[in-house]
Amino acid sequence: MSEKKSYGFTTTILHNDRQKPIEHGSLHKPIHTSVTFGYNDARQLASVFQGKEPGFRYGRQGNPTISALEDKITKMEDGVSTLCFATGMGAIGAVFQALLRAGDHIVSSSFLFGNTNSLWQTAAGQGVEVAFADATDVANVEAALTPATRLVFVETIANPRTQVADLARIGRLCKERGILFVVDNTMTSPYLFRPKTVGAGLVVNALTKSIGGHGNALGGSLTDTGEYDWSAFPNIAANYKRNPPAQWGMAQLRAKALRDFGASLAPEAAHHIAVGAETLALRMERASASALAVTRMLEADERVAAVYYPGLASHPQHALASGLFKAYGSLFSFELKDGIDCFDYLNRLKLGISASNLGDTRTLVIPVSHTIFFEMGAERRASMGIAESLIRVSVGIEDTADLLDDFRSALD
């Protein structure tokens, strides 16, 4: 495989490890469990620590197995570099921990994963002002900006109500204002969408979800796309400015979020995620097609009050999603009509498993208000349009006909 030839998404990921020497001709990068790395020349050790030459220092800041995964994610996102973390929330937390200071201001989509919403509450308690805006319209984001705004944060498709952010227009706005645009790509994955195309400077992926895909490893990542001019970011410490400006952001993130904060990915988890990533495109195509079929069936059933999926023509951002994404993803949510208990419905499913993860090979379902958004409180849930009967579904790779039968039969 030649590095100069352009290959497709799956081919590139499958053969990426072999582009660098691997011990004993292995096709996968082996699991390196050592937490420290020795050098025969002490001067070389010092040079690695000072960033003058590549190398590994200590397991908290990476090792060969994790580095190989980071290189895969970078290629997936068409970025310039990636850092991996212990979880997706660790990756988002790294942005707050390493890049923001008391007195800074961020604008976040008001349609957020519950734990991200909780993180922003923590940030607000530590002196970072957070403004929430309906990111389906760039005008709302623009109205929320202040002179102290350091970044804008959105999810591609919101979890669980599937609102689609006005990504391209927000990207242009951030570029005009010199603001860092951070996009959580978890719900779409790099196969369905690359946030770099809309000007995102940093891309978040919860590797636990579709990229790893098998529910057997936690992980998260931040990818620098090369689209943001880090010389415009006011919070870079002087000692990270020894490198070219394009490297400032990731240098500070690696030091402040991995070295200091310690949200490091384990090498065993990195290996599981790297192997799972090889089938990302195949799984996303299957799951997206099944999700579209199931949501069309549910929408046509008189016992269903509402279905939220960008692939449906009735979705408010259907046209926007159609112009952005290769497909509409594996996640949808729906509400049952009054008189149908959501718990009873879930218990009648034979294939849908009541569980809190998403992006798995198996179809997972969860009553949103009573679980992952319960801590948020009724008032905040109502402001996000989350009904008490809302069911979130993460479609797996089961046969589409079997899923259709399962979700239909549970209504009887």
Side-chain angles (χ1 to χ4, degrees):
M1 180 176 175
S2 169
E3 285 191 340
K4 295 181 180 180
K5 181 176 172 60
S6 178
Y7 291 94
F9 185 92
T10 298
T11 304
T12 299
I13 301 310
L14 274 173
H15 294 276
N16 191 62
D17 284 355
R18 298 194 302 115
Q19 301 312 298
K20 297 178 181 178
I22 308 180
E23 300 90 323
H24 312 297
S26 173
L27 298 185
H28 293 290
K29 190 69 174 177
I31 302 174
H32 290 263
T33 59
S34 179
V35 298
T36 191
F37 305 88
Y39 293 85
N40 294 326
D41 185 340
R43 290 183 179 84
Q44 185 183 13
L45 173 63
S47 184
V48 169
F49 261 76
Q50 294 170 21
K52 295 178 180 177
E53 62 177 290
F56 299 99
R57 315 172 190 180
Y58 186 68
R60 191 167 63 245
Q61 293 170 262
N63 80 2
T65 307
I66 297 164
S67 179
L69 175 61
E70 289 173 342
D71 192 51
K72 282 186 193 291
I73 306 301
T74 297
K75 286 186 170 61
M76 286 182 180
E77 290 288 5
D78 190 27
V80 295
S81 60
T82 294
L83 290 178
C84 283
F85 298 85
T87 66
M89 286 308 303
I92 300 172
V95 175
F96 162 50
Q97 174 73 16
L99 298 180
L100 299 176
R101 299 174 178 173
D104 286 344
H105 177 268
I106 68 173
V107 177
S108 171
S109 170
S110 55
F111 308 120
L112 281 177
F113 175 50
N115 294 135
T116 306
N117 181 78
S118 179
L119 175 66
W120 292 148
Q121 291 177 2
T122 300
Q126 296 181 12
V128 174
E129 185 180 353
V130 183
F132 292 100
D134 178 348
T136 61
D137 187 339
V138 67
N140 299 323
V141 174
E142 185 172 17
L145 297 177
T146 77
T149 302
R150 299 289 172 253
L151 63 88
V152 171
F153 180 94
V154 302
E155 298 172 358
T156 51
I157 301 175
N159 169 14
R161 271 283 307 271
T162 73
Q163 296 94 337
V164 179
D166 195 358
L167 293 161
R169 293 181 179 87
I170 295 173
R172 287 195 291 271
L173 171 67
C174 288
K175 186 172 183 179
E176 291 169 2
R177 303 290 183 90
I179 295 170
L180 176 62
F181 187 27
V182 183
V183 175
D184 188 332
N185 198 27
T186 300
M187 291 300 104
T188 32
S189 85
Y191 177 65
L192 297 185
F193 178 63
R194 283 175 167 164
K196 177 180 180 177
T197 61
V198 294
L202 283 179
V203 180
V204 177
N205 278 290
L207 305 177
T208 313
K209 315 305 183 188
S210 298
I211 292 178
H214 292 76
N216 59 0
L218 291 167
S221 65
L222 286 176
T223 299
D224 186 335
T225 66
E227 290 295 305
Y228 181 70
D229 178 9
W230 286 102
S231 66
F233 198 77
N235 294 349
I236 302 297
N239 53 323
Y240 304 118
K241 293 183 177 181
R242 295 173 299 185
N243 302 313
Q247 300 175 18
W248 288 0
M250 292 305 262
Q252 184 157 310
L253 281 160
R254 184 176 291 278
K256 294 297 183 183
L258 285 178
R259 185 196 66 195
D260 296 355
F261 203 54
S264 306
L265 181 66
E268 293 89 347
H271 178 75
H272 282 304
I273 293 165
V275 173
E278 294 176 354
T279 59
L280 172 62
L282 309 180
R283 289 183 283 103
M284 290 305 295
E285 288 179 355
R286 175 63 165 266
S288 296
S290 291
L292 183 58
V294 174
T295 53
R296 284 174 172 169
M297 180 272 292
L298 290 171
E299 188 176 49
D301 196 298
E302 62 182 11
R303 294 164 292 186
V304 176
V307 183
Y308 307 103
Y309 184 63
L312 297 174
S314 59
H315 192 282
Q317 290 90 46
H318 174 68
L320 180 61
S322 299
L324 288 168
F325 310 139
K326 187 176 297 186
Y328 304 101
S330 61
L331 182 128
F332 71 87
S333 59
F334 68 104
E335 300 168 20
L336 297 167
K337 285 193 173 177
D338 292 342
I340 304 176
D341 186 276
C342 68
F343 292 102
D344 290 341
Y345 176 84
L346 292 172
N347 290 339
R348 285 193 292 269
L349 291 170
K350 305 300 183 185
L351 297 179
I353 303 167
S354 293
S356 63
N357 193 26
L358 52 89
D360 202 320
T361 50
R362 298 160 183 81
T363 295
L364 308 176
V365 294
I366 194 165
V368 176
S369 293
H370 310 278
T371 56
I372 52 176
F373 279 67
F374 179 74
E375 185 180 324
M376 188 177 292
E379 184 176 349
R380 179 77 170 109
R381 289 196 299 270
S383 72
M384 297 176 69
I386 298 173
E388 293 300 299
S389 66
L390 187 71
I391 294 171
R392 187 189 74 183
V393 181
S394 171
V395 178
I397 60 171
E398 298 94 343
D399 292 286
T400 303
D402 293 330
L403 289 173
L404 285 167
D405 180 67
D406 195 37
F407 280 84
R408 183 188 298 111
S409 297
L411 286 167
D412 296 334

